[in-house]
Amino acid sequence: CMAVCFFALTACSGSKKESEPVPETIVSTMKTGAENYLKEFDSYDDETLATTLKRVQKQKNTVMESAITSWQSSKADLGRLVSVLSEDVERVDEETYKITVRASYEQRELDFVLTAEEVVSDNYGGTSLAATEMVFTPIFTTGEKLERAAMNTLMGMGTVFLVLIFISFIIASLKNVRSEEHTSEL
């Protein structure tokens, strides 16, 4: 049965449907929007980021909240924006588009991914793009990644050994508690 299923079901693979090309207006809108977001986040200082984060949390804007949090964790590793190196727009599904921007900063490069969904506007009957996700990912060299991994390993091992030493000290002191009980009974 297994051999029959193996040979019979290998022909049942789905064909990959060719996706429609992304319209030029959406490509230019996504590129402009991504560049504007990069410039806007680059202009924020720590105080402005904190106040903006509080404001978007009150508004329950989870997209901007996660974007600001992602930027805060990446900002120190980047420096200032130098230039945009490349932009690639692709269609995710029928109404969702994604742009991946490679940007150069003073200290290293960054991959910025912006995902947007086409929504119908009630005001004028047309469509607009609404951001659904923004992620900032600094590009680290292999040496930097290995250095961070080694530090994490040392910190983890050091913590474990300190806890083990503490536990062995507690166990050793339990011997004294037991011997004091025997002397008090006599």
Side-chain angles (χ1 to χ4, degrees):
C1 285
M2 198 162 138
V4 170
C5 287
F6 177 75
F7 289 110
L9 295 177
T10 55
C12 294
S13 67
S15 63
K16 188 173 183 178
K17 189 173 107 176
E18 232 7 78
S19 64
E20 297 177 27
V22 180
E24 195 58 42
T25 56
I26 291 181
V27 170
S28 65
T29 302
M30 290 291 287
K31 285 182 178 182
T32 304
E35 289 175 13
N36 288 341
Y37 276 124
L38 283 174
K39 290 174 186 173
E40 180 181 351
F41 278 100
D42 186 53
S43 68
Y44 287 158
D45 60 355
D46 291 335
E47 184 179 320
T48 307
L49 274 175
T51 56
T52 306
L53 181 60
K54 286 179 185 175
R55 181 175 45 82
V56 297
Q57 285 172 336
K58 282 183 180 177
Q59 296 171 344
K60 296 187 183 345
N61 185 345
T62 57
V63 174
M64 283 305 289
E65 182 180 352
S66 65
I68 291 171
T69 305
S70 177
W71 177 253
Q72 284 176 325
S73 64
S74 305
K75 183 180 176 186
D77 294 326
L78 296 171
R80 304 296 295 177
L81 177 65
V82 176
S83 66
V84 173
L85 302 174
S86 66
E87 299 168 313
D88 180 39
V89 180
E90 61 187 70
R91 182 186 294 269
V92 176
D93 61 31
E94 192 174 317
E95 297 173 347
T96 307
Y97 303 94
K98 177 174 86 171
I99 182 168
T100 305
V101 178
R102 175 69 59 102
S104 175
Y105 283 77
E106 292 172 337
Q107 297 173 9
R108 67 183 30 72
E109 291 182 358
L110 168 89
D111 277 342
F112 172 59
V113 177
L114 170 65
T115 307
E117 186 175 59
E118 202 171 12
V119 293
V120 177
S121 176
D122 293 333
N123 296 338
Y124 57 91
T127 61
S128 61
L129 293 173
T132 56
E133 183 180 30
M134 288 183 249
V135 179
F136 299 91
T137 310
I139 308 298
F140 293 101
T141 64
T142 304
E144 290 171 326
K145 290 177 187 176
L146 289 174
E147 181 182 335
R148 285 181 175 207
M151 287 303 295
N152 287 339
T153 302
L154 286 174
M155 293 292 289
M157 290 175 64
T159 303
V160 168
F161 281 113
L162 285 173
V163 169
L164 287 174
I165 290 169
F166 179 70
I167 291 171
S168 65
F169 174 73
I170 290 174
I171 291 172
S173 66
L174 287 177
K175 180 177 76 172
N176 297 336
V177 171
R178 186 169 184 194
S179 64
E180 289 177 9
E181 286 179 4
H182 288 300
T183 56
S184 64
E185 289 177 3
L186 295 174

